[in-house]
Amino acid sequence: MSQISNLKELFSSMVFNERVMKERLPKETYKSLKKTISEGSFLDLETANVIANVMKDWALEKGATHFTHWFQPMTGITAEKHDSFISPVGDGSVIMEFSGKELIKGEPDASSFPSGGLRATFEARGYTAWDPTSYAFLKENTLFIPTAFCSYGGEALDKKTPLLRSMEALNNQALRILKLFGTPAKRIYATIGSEQEYFLISEEHYKQRKDLILTGRTLFGAKPPKGQELEDHYFGTLKQNVLEYMHDLDRELWKLGISAKTEHNEVAPSQHELAPVFSTANIAVDQNQLTMDMMRKVAKKHKLVCLLHEKPFAGINGSGKHNNWSISTDSGENLLDPGKNPENNTRFLLFLAAIIKAVNEYQDLLRVSAASAANDHRLGANEAPPAIISVYLGSELTNVLESIESSNGYASKEEEKMKSNVSYIPEFIKDTTDRNRTSPFAFTGNKFEFRMLGSSQSISGPNFVLNTIVAEELRQFADVLEGKDDIVKASLEIIKDTVKNNKQIIFNGNNYSDEWTKEAKKRGLLNLKNTVEAVPYFIKKKNIDLFINHGILTEKEVLSRHEILLEGYWKVINIEALTVVDIAKKAIIPAVYSYLSDITESTLRRQKLSIDVSNDITVISKLSALKDTLQAAVAKLDKALAKAKDIENIEEKAHFYSATVIDAMSAVRNVADELETQVATSYWPFPTYSEILFPV
Ligand code: ADP
Ligand code: MG
């Protein structure tokens, strides 16, 4: 009992949330802050002063000494700049101060964050601006204030700003539709629950792998004798140290108001997943960043390392992030809940049609939103959805839409009971559709699950794209519907048209099959295999227009993000390639030399005793030849890197890395991995896949 009440107390104990605000803020202040949060109204400096003061007192009581504006630059991770509350007064003593101005505005130097040419280094000024819709929280004796980050000229330099703008756009357009249907709603929100995959490995192993330390993934490693073929890890019993880690992590997350709920083993050995209960989009994005941060920190305490990279181990499943997305009204009504009879739920079908049309017309943007050098290892590699975007609806909804399209009536399915044929196991009603785990964008009962996201990426990008493209379709629908007398009839016409023109995006089969790739091509769907193929679509005119029309990004901001994407891409591969060269030259080749030298020595000694050493000579020659091949491959990679350096044009550069440099890296790895299987374990310079993935 006491533990339960402790947990209740623990939850959100480090968050300056609704409850704390209500308790501590003067009534008027609370009211105007609440209005700002729920309706987006302006908040004046006087009110901010009061809030800052109350926030500071709350933080000091909990032991805080510092505060920081917390922001999300285009690096994809978060940034912070700590200031103490201390303010000296004339007599040599100090007081603790925190003003409204400090709460609402910060001025970090912006010159060292990616800006994609938006800002020359001499224009260093950048601003962080308080986002009152995401709660401030306490971590490591510091008050964290969620903020948006922009340049002196007002251009967004972060991941939060476009997300907030997209929520606004979605709100505006969805409310137009809801009004037509007579749904009472003041505001609508995108809701998100993101399932986070990760690997846990021992710190001891990690420390010995320069590739993991520098790049987050292993750049070498032969296939272990055992992989994931027995499928014995998925949902398997949790190991004691993993269990302790998960429980510890849950507690830390709960303190921060993050409702971590589900934890289980994933398909690959040493791979796990954490899912929180969903929340509104901006909070979900902030909380996912915090979750990733906490996952790493808590692991350290347990002498483990949490790997969030999309593909830490070749040949073993990588990690993604399932982005569950829906739309909800301020009273919590889920607009993607079909209800018992979807065929009669016109409002739901209209929203569904908007999403189908959005995904079809903006496949390219969704694809770009999940593109990165790291995620290129997963998408289309038979462990994650393919790079082709399609929508899974399940048979029931597909039938409903088809019957509208063909104007035939729809006969709804009877509820089916699940029977186990064991008398004492209770019966329950089956879901109307089975699950499909292969679709990149699947309807899962009352939400869509976008499954292309990489495990390490900020979920902001995919969600601001989703919000915006759906806002655009709702706008088009509202333009037609407003002024019509019979909204249901007019909606059905729109739905019919939409299905007719967009049904090529609907696919309920196996997305991993080769047939689907062929079929998708026939349907004219895009198949953008990697980042360099996908990124150019970001700056297509239709996409720039979309962002401008909904006030999400200006043309300048789109172009800057395009540049940041390409730059991020080649820089990641460059670091990986340099690390490959470094490890090969300084660790692997020396290890091979030393092994070769020892066996050669012993062979020569035995030869002196007239023992037959022909077999040994074969082994030595083979190893020698492999070593030569490795050295040649390293030289080739070195050369490719030198060439890459001279390429000025950023698109050309990214292409060169995606083809030539990646190929040269693979060539080095292939020989090195072959050598790993030939050289005695005691000589090998770092832990192998078996040791890392199957710790004793
Ligand atoms: P699974 O995908 O394994 O079936 P769940 O059904 O438990 O997992 O849900 C996965 C995630 O979807 C959770 O984070 C959950 O909170 C989230 N989710 C559920 N309903 C919604 C919703 N209406 N909007 C956004 N996310 C949701
Ligand atoms: Mg899921």
Side-chain angles (χ1 to χ4, degrees):
M1 183 61 206
S2 75
Q3 202 169 6
I4 292 174
S5 60
N6 278 347
L7 279 185
K8 268 187 163 170
E9 229 165 81
L10 187 83
F11 192 79
S12 259
S13 56
M14 294 298 169
V15 186
F16 192 78
N17 60 13
E18 198 65 48
R19 193 175 45 82
V20 184
M21 290 179 200
K22 197 169 181 181
E23 216 173 83
R24 298 192 170 224
L25 290 174
K27 230 184 190 146
E28 278 314 302
T29 315
Y30 173 71
K31 254 180 145 168
S32 60
L33 177 58
K34 185 104 200 315
K35 203 156 175 256
T36 301
I37 295 172
S38 59
E39 291 167 36
S41 62
F42 178 76
L43 194 117
D44 59 68
L45 189 60
E46 217 173 292
T47 314
N49 273 326
V50 180
I51 300 169
N53 206 31
V54 172
M55 233 185 219
K56 177 202 70 187
D57 288 343
W58 172 81
L60 291 178
E61 275 168 36
K62 293 196 175 270
T65 49
H66 290 70
F67 69 92
T68 178
H69 274 201
W70 183 61
F71 55 107
Q72 306 177 14
M74 295 300 294
T75 50
I77 52 174
T78 59
E80 48 200 71
K81 178 185 164 223
H82 295 224
D83 280 300
S84 74
F85 287 118
I86 283 178
S87 177
V89 279
D91 63 358
S93 62
V94 293
I95 54 166
M96 296 300 194
E97 257 188 350
F98 182 50
S99 67
K101 215 172 129 213
E102 284 170 308
L103 169 64
I104 62 177
K105 182 178 137 229
E107 276 192 54
D109 184 337
S111 61
S112 300
F113 292 105
S115 79
L118 269 185
R119 183 223 59 235
T121 31
F122 57 87
E123 296 165 340
R125 212 187 271 275
Y127 292 115
T128 50
W130 179 37
D131 165 20
T133 62
S134 184
Y135 303 131
F137 57 91
L138 274 181
K139 202 165 67 103
E140 291 127 20
N141 295 333
T142 303
L143 173 66
F144 280 71
I145 299 146
T147 58
F149 178 44
C150 63
S151 73
Y152 182 69
E155 291 102 357
L157 292 176
D158 70 345
K159 301 253 172 189
K160 187 188 264 277
T161 308
L163 180 82
L164 295 179
R165 292 173 182 164
S166 75
M167 289 177 73
E168 206 59 37
L170 185 64
N171 172 61
N172 293 340
Q173 303 306 331
L175 282 183
R176 288 174 69 191
I177 301 281
L178 292 185
K179 199 166 161 208
L180 294 168
F181 279 87
T183 311
K186 280 210 192 92
R187 205 168 171 84
I188 73 93
Y189 301 96
T191 52
I192 301 171
S194 59
E195 302 162 55
Q196 176 75 47
E197 290 182 337
Y198 61 99
F199 278 84
L200 271 186
I201 65 166
S202 100
E203 192 178 58
E204 213 33 56
H205 290 147
Y206 176 82
K207 280 185 184 159
Q208 297 171 63
R209 300 271 328 203
K210 206 171 185 176
D211 46 3
L212 281 177
I213 295 172
L214 293 180
T215 72
R217 75 178 179 107
T218 55
L219 300 168
F220 297 98
K223 196 176 169 330
K226 179 181 172 181
Q228 60 192 52
E229 58 276 65
L230 296 180
E231 300 182 323
D232 53 356
H233 193 256
Y234 192 51
F235 283 23
T237 315
L238 297 171
K239 278 205 182 114
Q240 189 58 30
N241 66 337
V242 172
L243 191 71
E244 282 165 17
Y245 165 79
M246 286 179 173
H247 285 183
D248 202 5
L249 175 62
D250 280 349
R251 288 181 74 85
E252 290 305 319
L253 294 176
W254 291 341
K255 280 190 213 165
L256 293 168
I258 301 171
S259 42
K261 193 164 167 68
T262 316
E263 304 249 24
H264 62 78
N265 281 352
E266 260 303 323
V267 175
S270 295
Q271 192 187 27
H272 315 279
E273 181 187 293
L274 179 146
V277 175
F278 69 94
S279 54
T280 53
N282 60 325
I283 291 182
V285 169
D286 287 1
Q287 291 195 340
N288 181 252
Q289 287 285 4
L290 268 178
T291 302
M292 291 195 284
D293 186 40
M294 271 302 160
M295 282 178 147
R296 292 202 184 93
K297 288 210 167 109
V298 173
K300 265 198 183 146
K301 278 203 284 184
H302 293 257
K303 298 207 177 320
L304 294 166
V305 173
C306 172
L307 303 177
L308 289 170
H309 193 281
E310 280 72 4
K311 193 75 178 176
F313 304 99
I316 301 283
N317 272 9
S319 301
K321 195 138 50 183
H322 286 176
N323 188 78
N324 295 273
W325 179 93
S326 189
I327 319 174
S328 154
T329 67
D330 50 335
S331 60
E333 185 181 357
N334 181 356
L335 297 172
L336 295 187
D337 188 346
K340 276 221 155 94
N341 302 99
E343 66 276 19
N344 299 329
N345 191 344
T346 314
R347 192 190 69 190
F348 162 75
L349 292 173
L350 192 67
F351 275 95
L352 186 66
I355 295 167
I356 293 168
K357 185 162 181 282
V359 176
N360 189 33
E361 289 176 356
Y362 297 99
Q363 300 161 43
D364 50 356
L365 276 185
L366 285 171
R367 174 65 186 89
V368 176
S369 79
S372 71
N375 218 14
D376 281 356
H377 299 288
R378 291 176 63 241
L379 299 178
N382 260 358
E383 56 167 272
I388 309 162
I389 305 253
S390 65
V391 177
Y392 170 86
L393 290 181
S395 54
E396 191 188 17
L397 283 185
T398 307
N399 290 343
V400 170
L401 292 180
E402 275 172 358
S403 71
I404 294 176
E405 192 205 352
S406 63
S407 308
N408 290 331
Y410 173 77
S412 69
K413 247 169 105 179
E414 286 285 308
E415 279 180 349
E416 237 183 283
K417 280 195 176 150
M418 183 76 198
K419 289 195 179 110
S420 65
N421 290 332
V422 179
S423 61
Y424 50 83
I425 291 184
E427 288 181 347
F428 52 87
I429 306 290
K430 278 204 319 196
D431 292 308
T432 45
T433 50
D434 194 6
R435 280 162 169 265
N436 173 313
R437 289 177 52 91
T438 65
S439 174
F441 199 84
F443 187 71
T444 51
N446 59 4
K447 61 190 190 289
F448 274 97
E449 192 168 326
F450 184 25
R451 299 180 174 139
M452 275 189 161
L453 284 69
S455 49
S456 72
Q457 83 173 100
S458 159
I459 59 172
S460 168
N463 285 300
F464 91 66
V465 167
L466 249 175
N467 293 344
T468 310
I469 62 180
V470 174
E472 165 59 19
E473 308 303 347
L474 292 175
R475 177 196 68 75
Q476 291 178 23
F477 289 1
D479 281 354
V480 176
L481 289 175
E482 279 167 356
K484 287 269 178 355
D485 291 329
D486 189 340
I487 294 299
V488 170
K489 189 164 157 255
S491 295
L492 286 174
E493 266 164 37
I494 291 182
I495 295 164
K496 190 172 171 170
D497 259 10
T498 307
V499 175
K500 200 181 274 166
N501 298 326
N502 297 277
K503 64 178 167 200
Q504 63 271 30
I505 199 78
I506 300 171
F507 179 65
N508 294 328
N510 178 6
N511 292 68
Y512 291 2
S513 68
D514 293 337
E515 289 77 55
W516 169 234
T517 310
K518 284 182 215 141
E519 164 74 17
K521 194 169 175 191
K522 255 196 255 155
R523 293 188 187 189
L525 300 180
L526 289 172
N527 184 1
L528 305 172
K529 295 205 180 69
N530 57 34
T531 302
V532 289
E533 272 186 41
V535 168
Y537 284 82
F538 192 52
I539 51 171
K540 288 224 157 190
K541 185 166 182 318
K542 73 164 176 93
N543 294 333
I544 296 184
D545 286 347
L546 167 85
F547 288 130
I548 294 174
N549 290 342
H550 289 275
I552 312 297
L553 293 170
T554 62
E555 180 164 11
K556 236 170 126 183
E557 287 170 336
V558 175
L559 295 178
S560 86
R561 270 153 217 261
H562 171 256
E563 195 174 317
I564 290 170
L565 273 169
L566 288 175
E567 210 170 75
Y569 175 80
W570 74 255
K571 281 185 177 166
V572 162
I573 299 174
N574 191 53
I575 293 170
E576 288 182 351
L578 290 171
T579 309
V580 163
V581 170
D582 182 276
I583 293 176
K585 279 188 186 164
K586 292 196 192 141
I588 297 177
I589 294 169
V592 178
Y593 270 129
S594 117
Y595 182 56
L596 258 178
S597 135
D598 283 1
I599 53 174
T600 308
E601 191 81 0
S602 112
T603 303
L604 284 174
R605 269 194 240 125
R606 275 177 296 127
Q607 199 174 29
K608 271 193 194 146
L609 303 173
S610 307
I611 295 171
D612 177 12
V613 292
S614 53
N615 201 22
D616 303 66
I617 291 171
T618 312
V619 171
I620 292 167
S621 311
K622 188 174 171 196
L623 268 176
S624 241
L626 277 173
K627 177 197 65 66
D628 291 348
T629 315
L630 178 59
Q631 282 166 322
V634 172
K636 206 168 158 195
L637 177 55
D638 252 338
K639 221 163 124 190
L641 283 173
K643 199 161 165 203
K645 222 177 187 171
D646 292 336
I647 305 175
E648 296 275 340
N649 179 290
I650 186 152
E651 274 120 27
E652 232 178 88
K653 197 165 184 134
H655 270 281
F656 186 79
Y657 274 93
S658 92
T660 313
V661 175
I662 286 187
D663 282 354
M665 274 167 68
S666 303
V668 175
R669 177 177 187 151
N670 289 341
V671 205
D673 288 358
E674 169 72 21
L675 274 162
E676 186 194 310
T677 66
Q678 310 291 327
V679 171
T681 310
S682 57
Y683 288 76
W684 203 248
F686 39 76
T688 62
Y689 272 25
S690 301
E691 291 167 275
I692 301 173
L693 291 167
F694 300 96
V696 281

